[in-house]
Amino acid sequence: MTDHAIEIEGLRKTYEAGGKAPPKEALKGIDLNIPAGAIFGLLGPNGAGKSTLINILAGLVTKTAGRVRIWGFDQDVNPRQSRAAIGVMPQETNMDPFFTPRAALEVQAGLYGVPKQRRRTDEILAMIGLTEQAEAYARNLSGGMKRRLLLGKALVHGPQVLVIDEPTAGVDIELRQMLWTNVRKLNDAGVTIILTTHYLEEAEQMCDEIAIIDRGQVVARDETSALVGRMDTKTLVVLPDGPVPETLSLPEGIAVARRPSGALALSYSRSRLRAGDVLSALAAAGVGVRDLATEEPDLEDVFLSLTGTQAAA
Ligand code: ADP
Ligand code: MG
């Protein structure tokens, strides 16, 4: 057991483009430690470098520079051990159409050198809910079943670290539920989980800690609650008790938005103003308050302020 499941230092990746196109610097010097036992979120807009990063961890893409240690094993010094410590569930579902789930799991176990008597094929089939389809051809499986099989394949060698690339992009609610249940179970059993996603709500619910990547660089990394807590914006939502003048003159530092419900959303910096200041300003502008609620910032605000990119809802 190490403190860090993953240690990354100065990681760079430049894709050499063909022809006259300029090379693409996908990772520009990433330093990142991921604690053992965490459910860790790797967030960022499309093109940020998330897949490049995890494909390097998985040994599927070669890095241009830097060091990667997986479960304490340096990728370049102990390639076999570092590869054995990690399993990756990729985003795409390419698979041999004539393989059955059982055969796919057995072949994968063979690739990782898991001896026959130590294979857990039936256990994994049950976990991913494919016991009944164990002998069906992959081409007859639904999209959701194929995704589940990819999860199973990532687990055949019992890795300490499981990486899931965009697990719920374009999947149905049932599959999402199955994934989250399994992710929690695996994590309870001691597996470190790394999720990449651009769905913030998901990250906020699932992940203990988060790194936000933008244009090949880590722009934030903290516990999920601390990241959100760092945001200075606070919003008071006020239901006025009468008509509100067309133009409201409020002091500088208070931004007003009108909600379709008729409520006014008043945003302010909580390090500069207090709720009482905002309410006094409202009273001075002649607006009475029928009802009142506060809204805390969420990960969406953090993401937007750091990357300037709207995330997927
Ligand atoms: P993400 O997974 O965050 O969407 P990627 O790691 O897939 O980001 O891509 C990061 C950047 O690297 C993008 O600009 C992408 O176009 C580029 N890129 C990814 N794979 C390749 C490749 N095989 N060849 C050239 N450029 C690539
Ligand atoms: Mg990707």
Side-chain angles (χ1 to χ4, degrees):
M1 184 82 182
T2 61
D3 287 349
H4 292 125
I6 305 278
E7 294 159 277
I8 298 171
E9 274 173 55
L11 183 62
R12 293 180 176 274
K13 175 65 187 179
T14 304
Y15 290 105
E16 297 302 337
K20 291 206 180 80
K24 172 75 204 176
E25 234 189 319
L27 300 178
K28 302 173 184 165
I30 301 265
D31 296 311
L32 186 64
N33 288 338
I34 299 179
I39 300 184
F40 193 90
L42 209 54
L43 254 61
N46 277 325
K50 305 182 294 295
S51 292
T52 299
L53 176 58
I54 68 173
N55 286 334
I56 290 173
L57 297 182
L60 301 171
V61 166
T62 50
K63 55 187 177 282
T64 305
R67 286 174 86 84
V68 171
R69 280 193 210 87
I70 301 170
W71 214 249
F73 295 109
D74 189 304
Q75 205 174 42
D76 300 321
V77 180
N78 300 104
R80 205 175 49 80
Q81 289 94 326
S82 79
R83 224 169 76 85
I86 194 166
V88 177
M89 177 182 170
Q91 197 179 338
E92 67 283 355
T93 55
N94 298 336
M95 55 178 67
D96 189 317
F98 293 104
F99 268 28
T100 67
R102 180 182 299 284
L105 293 176
E106 287 287 333
V107 167
Q108 186 79 1
L111 286 176
Y112 276 93
V114 182
K116 279 250 192 296
Q117 67 277 12
R118 285 188 41 219
R119 293 189 189 167
R120 301 174 303 137
T121 306
D122 286 311
E123 186 189 322
I124 292 174
L125 283 168
M127 172 185 175
I128 57 178
L130 290 181
T131 301
E132 277 178 31
Q133 291 80 15
E135 320 297 341
Y137 284 140
R139 62 171 179 168
N140 294 330
L141 299 177
S142 70
M145 289 175 184
K146 287 180 189 158
R147 297 292 305 266
R148 274 141 63 184
L149 183 51
L150 288 176
L151 174 63
K153 283 175 71 177
L155 295 170
V156 288
H157 55 299
Q160 288 92 337
V161 183
L162 173 67
V163 183
I164 312 184
D165 198 6
E166 301 275 353
T168 55
V171 309
D172 59 33
I173 292 177
E174 205 182 329
L175 177 57
R176 192 182 286 219
Q177 227 49 60
M178 185 286 298
L179 264 173
W180 291 155
T181 308
N182 278 327
V183 160
R184 292 241 185 255
K185 258 194 231 159
L186 287 162
N187 187 245
D188 288 345
V191 178
T192 302
I193 312 276
I194 302 171
L195 303 173
T196 84
T197 180
H198 58 278
Y199 291 99
L200 299 178
E201 215 185 286
E202 196 161 277
E204 205 161 345
Q205 288 169 4
M206 294 294 299
C207 301
D208 315 315
E209 296 186 46
I210 285 176
I212 299 181
I213 297 190
D214 189 31
R215 282 162 276 194
Q217 286 174 310
V218 175
V219 294
R221 183 232 187 279
D222 212 331
E223 288 176 16
T224 311
S225 53
L227 264 186
V228 171
R230 214 192 275 172
M231 291 302 290
D232 192 38
T233 313
K234 182 138 184 166
T235 303
L236 270 186
V237 183
V238 165
L239 197 60
D241 69 357
V244 177
E246 198 63 36
T247 51
L248 257 185
S249 75
L250 292 173
E252 208 182 319
I254 305 177
V256 188
R258 290 169 199 257
R259 298 266 168 97
S261 60
L264 299 173
L266 303 142
S267 299
Y268 60 97
S269 154
R270 60 181 163 187
S271 62
R272 289 172 48 212
L273 292 174
R274 290 173 311 165
D277 303 327
V278 178
L279 289 175
S280 314
L282 207 54
V287 178
V289 172
R290 174 135 58 96
D291 203 358
L292 182 67
T294 59
E295 283 178 6
E296 296 297 325
D298 61 13
L299 204 49
E300 174 82 43
D301 300 309
V302 180
F303 194 80
L304 195 59
S305 77
L306 288 169
T307 67
T309 314
Q310 199 85 39

